[in-house]
């Protein structure tokens, strides 16, 4: 917790400095200290996104960004903005930050932390973004902008990968600075995402902030739209946000078409990044085929698509069973899944119905535009893969819009305190979750409180792996564990080895002498099939 405090205090001035630099170029996203922090996140993310095509995001990429941010922070005396907060607000920011730092010091428990977040960050810090990386390990084709941002700070400033904790502190500052007290009701719920660089946390926070700015009448459409596309680039399921900003700029502000050009340029960079890593403009959808030689094998895409369908039903039905569903079965079975997910699905449907009625009663143009944007997003999610993690942001938005004027400072602080106490208790005593919510599987991976957290955030080490070679590719596989979170690169997840073997293909280096030239897939020769079978036998311990 102490080291996490130092990291936060160090990173925030860097973000403010970059925010000031960005304001000199584009003007402010909105006035205030938190506005500079958010604009700093935006600017640094795109600088590192462009850089990682050419160099790894190692210490040599981090230090110049840090020095630039600190230069502007001290040159423009941005530290003086601290004194703009009243004594009461300063105490409240300190209390909120303490709760956030405590929550962020717990051990990570989200499984994607080990199978997706850390492997992505390792590749970015050691090599940069690699062409066709999805051919090696399909999930790495996402390469979220949030992991690029985290990777850049992971060498020196934030070696514990707790950038989400920093973002929560910034969110608290924004809530108090803008007197947006309702945000304090959301903040403690988001504590559950503070131990990992999960993209879910920043996209929820940024979307609520932009929504607040839109309701408050912010007319800087160029930056609002650009930032909304940035949120989309972090997590494409947030498509409703740029749609809303576009509607807002077009139908309410009556902005010129040129206001959307910066955002469209960012959208182009997002598509280019995906094409480079995955072969198609949007991961994991095979739409917009440009015939890139490093695009994934069609069979791999088919398996991914089938898996997404099964995940919609929480893996409780086989793909073949789902294909036999009638239209009624699709809905009935989705709403009657075993465990907590069916309750979330039902709540989602009820929330949309409720918000439809609320929109009709209020008859306000802005609320109608928010509703239409959420409806577009919901239809797309339901059509592709109706997993609750893809529409969880809808709950936050509906709650925000409906109760925007209800919460004052006192009510919000009470709600924040109660929910924070509950969340810290659940993180400290995970047996409570395991006992009362056994269907919430992540509860089984929460480690509980460790006194070492007071000094240093909880982190795991494993470092057991086997090394193999197939064709021109030497690779490593985590031993007796499904994820490669600290396996030396290049590493392949066990599940993808099985999928590739079943498809009769295997990843290969495009240039056996230079890993940065990327990966392609190749049909296996009889010899390579034997090599892969030996790998599988070794993994299954068949030959022991």
């Amino acid at each position: 917790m102490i080291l996490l405090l130092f990291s936060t205090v160090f990173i925030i001035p860097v973000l403010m400095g970059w925010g000031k630099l960005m304001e000199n170029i584009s003007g402010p996203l909105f006035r205030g200290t938190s506005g500079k922090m958010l604009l700093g996140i935006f600017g640094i993310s795109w600088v590192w996104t462009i850089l990682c095509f050419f160099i790894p995001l190692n210490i040599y990429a981090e230090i110049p960004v840090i020095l630039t941010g600190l230069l502007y922070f001290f040159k423009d005396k941005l530290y003086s903005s601290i004194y703009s907060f009243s004594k009461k607000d300063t105490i409240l920011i300190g209390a909120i930050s303490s709760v956030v730092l405590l929550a962020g010091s717990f051990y990570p428990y989200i499984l994607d932390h080990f199978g997706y977040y850390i492997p992505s960050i390792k590749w970015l810090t050691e090599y940069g973004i690699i062409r066709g990386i999805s051919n090696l390990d399909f999930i790495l084709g996402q390469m979220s902008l949030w992991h690029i941002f985290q990777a850049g700070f992971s060498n020196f400033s934030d070696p514990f990968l707790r950038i989400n904790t920093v973002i929560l502190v910034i969110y608290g500052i924004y809530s108090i600075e803008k007197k947006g007290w309702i945000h304090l009701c959301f903040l403690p719920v988001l504590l559950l995402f503070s131990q990992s660089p999960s993209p879910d946390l920043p996209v929820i926070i940024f979307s609520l902030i932009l929504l607040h700015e839109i309701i408050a009448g912010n007319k800087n459409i160029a930056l609002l739209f650009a930032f909304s596309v940035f949120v989309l680039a972090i997590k494409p399921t947030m498509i409703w946000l740029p749609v809303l900003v576009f509607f807002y700029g077009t139908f309410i502000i009556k902005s010129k078409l040129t206001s959307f050009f910066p955002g469209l340029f960012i959208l182009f960079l997002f598509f280019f990044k995906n094409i480079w890593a995955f072969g198609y403009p949007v991961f994991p959808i095979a739409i917009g085929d440009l015939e890139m030689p490093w695009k994934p094998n069609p069979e791999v895409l088919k398996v991914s698509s089938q898996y997404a369908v099964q995940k919609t039903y929480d893996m409780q039905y086989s793909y073949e069973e789902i294909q036999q569903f009638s239209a009624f079965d699709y809905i009935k079975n989705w709403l009657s899944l075993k465990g907590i997910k069916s309750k979330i699905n039902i709540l989602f449907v009820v929330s949309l119905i409720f918000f439809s009625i609320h929109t009709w009663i209020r008859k306000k143009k802005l609320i109608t535009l928010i509703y239409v944007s959420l409806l577009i997003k919901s239809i797309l999610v339901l059509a592709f893969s109706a997993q609750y993690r893809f529409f969880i942001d809808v709950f936050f938005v509906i709650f925000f819009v409906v109760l925007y004027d209800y919460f004052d400072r006192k009510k919000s602080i009470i709600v924040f305190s109660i929910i924070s106490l509950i969340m810290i208790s659940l993180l400290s005593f995970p047996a409570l979750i395991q006992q009362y919510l056994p269907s919430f599987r992540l509860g089984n991976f929460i480690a509980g409180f460790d006194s070492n957290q007071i000094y240093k955030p909880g982190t795991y080490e494993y470092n057991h792996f086997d090394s193999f070679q197939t064709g021109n590719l030497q690779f490593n596989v985590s031993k007796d564990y499904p994820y490669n979170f600290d396996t030396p690169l290049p590493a392949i997840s066990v599940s993808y080895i099985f999928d590739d073997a079943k498809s009769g293909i295997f990843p290969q280096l495009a240039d056996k002498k230079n890993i940065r030239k990327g990966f392609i897939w190749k049909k296996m020769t009889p010899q390579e099939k034997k090599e892969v079978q030996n790998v599988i036998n070794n993994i299954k311990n068949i030959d022991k």
Side-chain angles (χ1 to χ4, degrees):
M1 189 174 170
I2 294 173
L3 292 182
L4 193 50
L5 172 63
F6 290 154
S7 181
T8 304
V9 170
F10 183 74
I11 290 174
I12 284 179
V14 174
L15 298 178
M16 290 179 65
W18 270 89
K20 181 62 178 177
L21 172 60
M22 291 293 295
E23 285 183 352
N24 293 342
I25 298 170
S26 63
L29 177 62
F30 51 83
R31 301 289 177 184
T33 302
S34 54
K36 289 182 176 61
M37 295 175 191
L38 261 69
L39 206 52
I41 294 168
F42 176 80
I44 292 172
S45 295
W46 287 111
V47 166
W48 276 335
T49 297
I50 293 170
L51 279 179
C52 71
F53 284 98
F54 306 100
I55 61 172
L57 297 180
N58 53 28
I59 190 72
Y60 300 107
E62 181 177 0
I63 292 300
V65 167
I66 290 173
L67 294 178
T68 301
L70 292 178
L71 173 64
Y72 276 86
F73 179 77
F74 288 107
K75 180 176 75 70
D76 292 313
K77 299 180 180 179
L78 300 180
Y79 47 81
S80 62
S81 63
I82 298 170
Y83 303 108
S84 64
F85 293 96
S86 67
K87 185 177 180 180
K88 280 186 177 180
D89 286 348
T90 302
I91 293 172
L92 183 56
I93 290 172
I96 291 171
S97 299
S98 298
V99 173
V100 170
L101 292 172
L102 174 59
S105 69
F106 282 85
Y107 283 86
Y109 64 91
I110 299 174
L111 296 184
D112 275 350
H113 178 86
F114 308 99
Y116 165 39
Y117 307 160
I118 293 186
S120 295
I121 292 165
K122 281 172 66 69
W123 274 102
L124 289 164
T125 53
E126 294 185 29
Y127 293 100
I129 190 164
I130 299 296
R131 187 173 62 192
I133 187 70
S134 62
N135 288 310
L136 181 76
D137 204 322
F138 188 73
I139 194 72
L140 298 178
Q142 295 186 68
M143 284 290 168
S144 171
L145 254 70
W146 197 242
H147 298 135
I148 293 175
F149 181 68
Q150 171 69 89
F153 278 120
S154 66
N155 306 282
F156 173 72
S157 310
D158 182 26
F160 305 108
L161 308 183
R162 292 305 201 277
I163 201 67
N164 277 8
T165 301
V166 179
I167 301 306
L168 273 173
V169 170
I170 293 172
Y171 188 41
I173 293 172
Y174 174 85
S175 306
I176 294 165
E177 184 177 39
K178 291 290 185 175
K179 310 303 179 189
W181 302 114
I182 190 171
H183 293 285
L184 296 185
C185 302
F186 300 127
L187 199 151
V189 178
L190 298 173
L191 293 175
L192 296 175
F193 297 98
S194 60
Q195 305 80 21
S196 299
S198 166
D200 292 303
L201 181 138
V203 298
I204 290 173
I205 287 177
F206 295 157
S207 64
L208 292 174
I209 288 176
L210 288 193
L211 194 57
H212 184 115
E213 291 300 314
I214 289 171
I215 292 174
N218 190 322
K219 296 181 180 180
N220 191 346
I221 295 301
L223 270 179
L224 287 175
F225 185 67
F227 203 95
S228 71
V229 176
F230 168 59
V231 175
L232 171 74
I234 294 175
K235 195 175 180 72
T237 55
M238 301 300 293
I239 189 171
W240 70 269
L241 189 59
V243 169
L244 171 62
V245 177
F246 177 78
F247 286 163
Y248 172 67
T250 302
F251 299 115
I252 295 181
I253 303 299
K254 311 292 185 183
S255 299
K256 295 179 181 178
L257 187 61
T258 52
S259 300
F260 301 104
F261 285 177
L264 293 175
F265 176 70
I266 289 171
L267 188 63
F268 167 78
L269 288 178
F270 166 65
F271 287 152
F272 184 82
K273 183 267 298 181
N274 285 340
I275 291 169
W276 189 262
F278 171 54
Y280 294 92
V282 181
F283 183 93
I285 306 169
I287 296 176
D289 190 356
L290 300 175
E291 295 297 334
M292 295 299 175
W294 59 85
K295 68 180 182 179
N297 181 273
E299 191 62 30
V300 172
L301 292 170
K302 179 182 175 183
V303 170
S304 170
S305 177
Q306 293 176 353
Y307 181 72
V309 172
Q310 287 183 268
K311 287 291 287 183
T312 297
Y313 295 92
D314 196 32
M315 306 302 288
Q316 294 179 21
Y317 299 93
S318 69
Y319 180 74
E320 290 72 21
E321 288 175 321
I322 296 171
Q323 291 301 102
Q324 300 300 317
F325 287 173
S326 64
F328 177 74
D329 289 335
Y330 276 112
I331 300 171
K332 178 181 72 71
N333 292 337
W334 183 68
L335 294 174
S336 58
L337 294 171
K338 297 174 184 176
I340 192 174
K341 292 183 181 177
S342 63
K343 314 299 186 297
I344 297 174
N345 294 342
I346 292 170
L347 182 61
F348 173 64
V349 174
V350 171
S351 298
L352 283 180
I353 294 172
F354 169 78
F355 195 48
S356 301
I357 298 170
H358 176 81
T359 302
W360 182 75
I361 293 173
R362 294 292 299 273
K363 290 184 172 61
K364 286 190 175 182
K365 183 183 286 188
L366 180 56
I367 294 178
T368 301
L369 295 179
I370 294 170
Y371 170 73
V372 172
S373 303
L374 287 181
L375 196 60
I376 291 171
K377 177 246 174 68
S378 300
I379 291 171
L380 290 173
V381 167
L382 291 171
F384 284 99
S385 184
Q387 302 174 50
Y388 80 94
R389 62 195 182 99
F390 292 155
F391 55 71
I392 193 171
D393 54 299
V394 173
F395 298 123
F396 288 88
V397 175
I398 292 175
F399 187 94
F400 182 88
V401 173
V402 173
L403 298 174
Y404 178 78
D405 295 318
Y406 175 74
F407 285 95
D408 56 18
R409 181 187 180 105
K410 183 179 179 180
K411 290 175 184 174
S412 296
I413 291 176
I414 291 172
V415 172
F416 171 83
S417 302
I418 293 172
I419 300 179
S420 293
L421 180 61
I422 293 171
M423 293 302 169
I424 296 297
S425 299
L426 292 177
L427 290 170
S428 301
F429 309 104
L432 294 173
I433 302 178
Q434 295 161 14
Q435 180 178 352
Y436 295 106
L437 277 177
S439 62
F440 184 65
R441 296 174 196 142
L442 284 179
N444 297 319
F445 302 100
I446 299 177
F449 181 76
D450 182 342
S451 59
N452 291 327
Q453 291 172 223
I454 300 297
Y455 174 66
K456 173 186 170 184
T459 56
Y460 288 108
E461 294 181 2
Y462 187 70
N463 203 32
H464 296 289
F465 62 93
D466 291 315
S467 299
F468 306 99
Q469 178 159 353
T470 297
N472 69 4
L473 178 65
Q474 291 183 332
F475 60 96
N476 303 307
V477 180
S478 181
K479 192 172 185 179
D480 300 324
Y481 187 72
Y483 305 118
N484 292 303
F485 73 96
D486 66 350
T487 304
L489 303 181
I492 309 178
S493 298
V494 170
S495 60
Y496 291 117
I497 293 176
F498 292 163
D499 288 343
D500 286 341
K502 194 180 296 184
S503 301
I505 63 167
F506 209 76
Q508 295 289 281
L509 292 167
D511 181 344
K512 64 181 181 180
K513 295 181 180 179
N514 187 355
I515 199 170
R516 280 191 55 81
K517 292 292 181 67
F519 297 92
I520 58 172
W521 61 268
K522 177 177 171 288
K523 285 190 176 295
M524 289 187 286
T525 64
Q527 177 60 33
E528 289 168 345
K529 287 182 179 180
K530 289 181 180 179
E531 292 171 353
V532 171
Q533 189 56 51
N534 288 336
V535 173
I536 292 173
N537 291 343
N538 190 291
I539 292 170
K540 291 181 174 180
N541 296 318
I542 290 175
D543 58 345
K544 294 184 180 180

